[in-house]
Amino acid sequence: MSAKPFASSGDLADKEQTLEVLADGVYALTAEGDPNVGAVEGEDFLVCFEALATPTAAREWLARLREHTDKPVKYLVLSHYHAVRVLGASAFDAEVVIAHDNTRALIAERGKQDWESEFARMPRLAKDAASVPGLTWPTLTFSDRLTIDLGGDRGDLELRYCGRGHTEGDIVAWLPQQRILFAGDLVEAEAALYTGDAFHREWATSTLDAVRALSAEALVGGRGAVSRGTDAVHAAIDQTRHFLEVMIQEVGAVQQRGGTLKEAFEATHAALVGTYGRWPIFEHCLPFDVARLWDELSGVERPVIWTAERDRGVWDLLQG
């Protein structure tokens, strides 16, 4: 049996992008399990949510958006620090780049290593990698909540920190008037979770509880289709929670009986593959997910930095 291609290095097929208008001036671009992005119109400006992996990729998204609005981008909101979400930022010419306080600290601590790691894992997303001018740095950060007045009768856009989850700096963008939530990678809709930098137990409990409490009627997750309607929103949140709970149960059980990391991966894979194995990036993510959870349950509070070398070592051990 041949070894599986490393992470998503073998996934080179283009994905079909779909631009959806969720409400007046509220846009989402989804792409068959690739990272989602969005935008919200203010009275005379735009707020963009997520930046994609490179300026070239971001400019393609902006060209689609310009078919609907020519307002300038005043705010660029970054849900967290991962390279495929932030390194396209220079294309937006935003006046203000917003992220959580913890995200800025993570960029300083591990942004360079993450850049190298993610572009090796997902080369197709790194479209024209040479167009990236350097690390993306927020110009405005916050700890709990930040509100943007959209002007006129458009209401507010609330940026909220719901707790540690996918990383220790994830934020969501909430439109209370339209009841639309951009959840970043705290929620996925029929796409596997990447948890290599996660705080699984907090994410599966208090963080997702805070997301659910918003009672959104439409949700744009980090990957997958837009969830429309309360039932679909709850289903996406519940699926995310279930994925985490199964991982915690399986890895914890192997640790408690004195098993190995490899055994924990095999048990978790067996428990999840029937439900989630057909979803985008499942095989890619799971080795890194289990490695981080193994550390977390062993008492390693903060995720170990992923380098290209560490990526390959974990992959060869668990998926080789």
Side-chain angles (χ1 to χ4, degrees), residues 145-148 156-160 172-176 214:
R145 188 179 303 185
L146 188 152
T147 300
I148 297 171
D156 292 334
L157 176 66
E158 298 177 2
L159 306 180
R160 297 189 179 208
V172 302
W174 170 233
L175 289 161
L214 292 170

Side-chain angles (χ1 to χ4, degrees), residues 5 16 24 29 32 39 47 52 59 61 67 74 79 124 132 174 177 237 240 245 251 255 263 272 280-281 284 294-295:
E16 182 178 355
D24 181 28
L29 187 77
E32 297 184 306
V47 183
L52 294 175
R59 280 190 284 270
W61 149 232
E67 297 173 7
K74 184 173 183 179
S79 70
R124 181 177 49 76
V132 179
W174 170 233
Q177 183 169 298
I237 295 169
T240 301
E245 289 174 342
V251 174
Q255 278 198 351
E263 289 169 343
L272 290 172
I281 67 173
H284 165 167
W294 182 272
D295 283 350

Side-chain angles (χ1 to χ4, degrees), residues 28-41:
L29 187 77
T30 62
E32 297 184 306
D34 275 0
N36 295 335
V37 292
V40 178
E41 289 189 45

Side-chain angles (χ1 to χ4, degrees), residues 94-247:
E95 290 183 31
V96 183
V97 179
I98 304 174
H100 192 265
D101 294 339
N102 291 343
T103 291
R104 194 185 201 290
L106 286 164
I107 293 167
E109 178 188 47
R110 58 185 70 196
K112 179 63 174 173
Q113 297 96 319
D114 178 73
W115 179 357
E116 294 171 352
S117 165
E118 292 215 339
F119 278 26
R121 292 184 190 181
M122 295 173 279
R124 181 177 49 76
L125 298 183
K127 184 174 291 187
D128 187 16
S131 67
V132 179
L135 290 172
T136 295
W137 294 98
T139 59
L140 174 64
T141 64
F142 67 97
S143 61
D144 181 43
R145 188 179 303 185
L146 188 152
T147 300
I148 297 171
D149 181 356
L150 297 173
D153 61 357
R154 293 179 178 272
D156 292 334
L157 176 66
E158 298 177 2
L159 306 180
R160 297 189 179 208
Y161 181 64
C162 295
R164 298 187 302 182
H166 173 71
T167 73
E168 58 190 304
D170 299 86
I171 59 174
V172 302
W174 170 233
L175 289 161
Q177 183 169 298
Q178 299 86 350
R179 310 212 65 77
I180 297 171
L181 180 66
F182 291 89
D185 279 324
L186 285 177
V187 181
E188 310 290 9
E190 296 197 5
L193 274 62
Y194 175 67
T195 73
D197 295 302
F199 297 79
H200 296 76
R201 292 169 292 187
E202 190 171 332
W203 185 1
T205 55
S206 58
T207 299
L208 284 179
D209 288 346
V211 173
R212 189 183 180 102
L214 292 170
S215 299
E217 295 175 5
L219 181 148
V220 184
R223 294 174 184 262
V226 176
S227 300
R228 295 175 179 268
T230 302
D231 289 348
V233 170
H234 287 173
I237 295 169
D238 291 346
Q239 168 243 297
T240 301
R241 194 191 305 268
H242 181 257
F243 194 106
L244 294 166
E245 289 174 342
V246 171
M247 286 184 60

Side-chain angles (χ1 to χ4, degrees), residues 14-56:
D14 290 337
K15 309 299 182 186
E16 182 178 355
Q17 295 183 333
T18 302
L19 177 58
E20 299 181 54
V21 181
L22 306 182
D24 181 28
V26 183
Y27 309 95
L29 187 77
T30 62
E32 297 184 306
D34 275 0
N36 295 335
V37 292
V40 178
E41 289 189 45
E43 189 72 4
D44 56 4
F45 62 88
L46 279 172
V47 183
C48 287
F49 188 75
E50 311 287 36
L52 294 175
T54 68
T56 295

